[in-house]
Amino acid sequence: MPFAWYFYSAIPRAMLSSVVLVPIGAALDRRVRTLLLPSMLFVLVYSLLPHKELRFIVYVVPVLNLAAARACSAIYEKRSVSVKHLLACLVVLGHLILNTMLSSDLLYVSSMNYPGGEAMGKLHQLEPKTEHVNVHVDVYTVQTGVSRFSQLHDNWIYNKTEGLQAGSWQMQQFTHLLIAASNRNSEQLLPYATTHSVQAIISGYKGIRIDRHRFPFIFIEAESKIFLLKKETVVSVVTSNAYSS
């Protein structure tokens, strides 16, 4: 990540429209500056690290919110001084509404970033606890929401072995497969076309599309991310009988 990524990307996305009020709050109150200075130095030090994530500097967000709140308070208190101050107060109130809308949209987008967890939940929904299930979970599925907490049944086998060849005899031993793929004709699914059936298709976040001809103009798009496959027992029986004869 670039050196200034926290300042031009992470913090603005965390603060949303309130970020513009932070320097105003700092300029208005020395106490805010006293808290803000070490917080920014903390972010600056972490900017030296090549690997950057918001969670590394999330501790400064309350201080930034404090600075923004100080600006809001000052503007609100002077709302009756003049029309200009009243308009500024309305802008502040509007930014709170905007933040609420943006937070709701981002929360919805975030919920679409864990198709693996949704896929595992779908498997538990489709198969009874008493059913013999030996499921293989691929890397992408694990990385997008599958954990030990999602392994609900002690009598089921949850396998996360990496590096198994698609369609190999090892993969054919599993009763269920959770495989990352974009569509039914994907290369990852072709080895199982005659041996497995698709039980569920889990979608995830694709992107944001702007359509000026349709309200509300901004649309969140989804696409297929993970396929839940189940081994066809009929096919297995026929195959075993063929080998026996």
Side-chain angles (χ1 to χ4, degrees):
M1 292 288 186
F3 174 80
W5 181 80
Y6 285 129
F7 295 97
Y8 72 76
S9 180
I11 290 178
R13 283 187 289 115
M15 295 294 296
L16 300 178
S17 62
S18 296
V19 70
V20 299
L21 297 173
V22 173
I24 298 176
L28 291 174
D29 197 321
R30 180 179 57 83
R31 296 170 300 174
V32 172
R33 294 194 295 273
T34 302
L35 294 174
L36 202 57
L37 180 59
S39 299
M40 292 299 96
L41 289 176
F42 172 79
V43 177
L44 188 64
V45 171
Y46 262 84
S47 296
L48 298 173
L49 300 176
H51 180 69
K52 297 178 175 64
E53 294 184 37
L54 175 61
R55 62 189 178 97
F56 294 162
I57 56 101
V58 72
Y59 318 103
V60 306
V61 172
V63 178
L64 297 173
N65 277 326
L66 179 65
R70 180 66 184 89
C72 291
S73 175
I75 294 172
Y76 182 77
E77 289 173 354
K78 296 183 179 181
R79 67 189 183 281
S80 59
V81 173
S82 65
V83 175
K84 183 191 300 184
H85 287 84
L86 179 60
L87 291 176
C89 180
L90 293 177
V91 170
V92 166
L93 294 176
H95 113 277
L96 295 176
I97 298 175
L98 178 61
N99 276 1
T100 301
M101 295 172 59
L102 291 174
S103 296
S104 299
D105 290 340
L106 292 174
L107 179 63
Y108 177 66
V109 169
S110 297
S111 70
M112 300 174 67
N113 282 329
Y114 299 94
E118 185 178 347
M120 184 63 78
K122 192 67 176 179
L123 174 62
H124 287 93
Q125 179 183 350
L126 293 175
E127 298 293 348
K129 179 180 180 180
T130 55
E131 186 76 11
H132 169 65
V133 172
N134 182 9
V135 57
H136 182 268
V137 186
D138 70 0
V139 174
Y140 176 81
T141 306
V142 172
Q143 291 177 339
T144 55
V146 172
S147 68
R148 293 293 297 273
F149 295 104
S150 60
Q151 299 176 193
L152 302 181
H153 304 325
D154 294 334
N155 58 313
W156 286 17
I157 300 175
Y158 303 87
N159 191 297
K160 303 174 185 176
T161 303
E162 300 180 27
L164 298 182
Q165 185 177 356
S168 64
W169 67 269
Q170 295 104 320
M171 294 295 289
Q172 292 293 340
Q173 305 306 308
F174 299 105
T175 61
H176 296 75
L177 303 173
L178 289 174
I179 300 178
S182 58
N183 58 71
R184 290 176 179 267
N185 298 318
S186 296
E187 181 181 353
Q188 299 92 324
L189 301 181
L190 289 180
Y192 312 104
T194 60
T195 57
H196 292 69
S197 62
V198 177
Q199 298 293 295
I201 303 175
I202 310 301
S203 299
Y205 176 72
K206 178 182 180 181
I208 296 177
R209 177 173 58 86
I210 299 177
D211 189 343
R212 292 177 293 178
H213 303 290
R214 294 175 56 195
F215 184 81
F217 311 120
I218 299 178
F219 299 89
I220 300 172
E221 293 187 316
E223 64 180 354
S224 300
K225 293 291 186 178
I226 298 174
F227 282 71
L228 169 58
L229 307 182
K230 182 176 182 179
K231 186 74 175 291
E232 292 284 8
T233 55
V234 175
V235 173
S236 301
V237 171
V238 172
T239 303
S240 61
N241 289 338
Y243 279 118
S244 299
S245 59

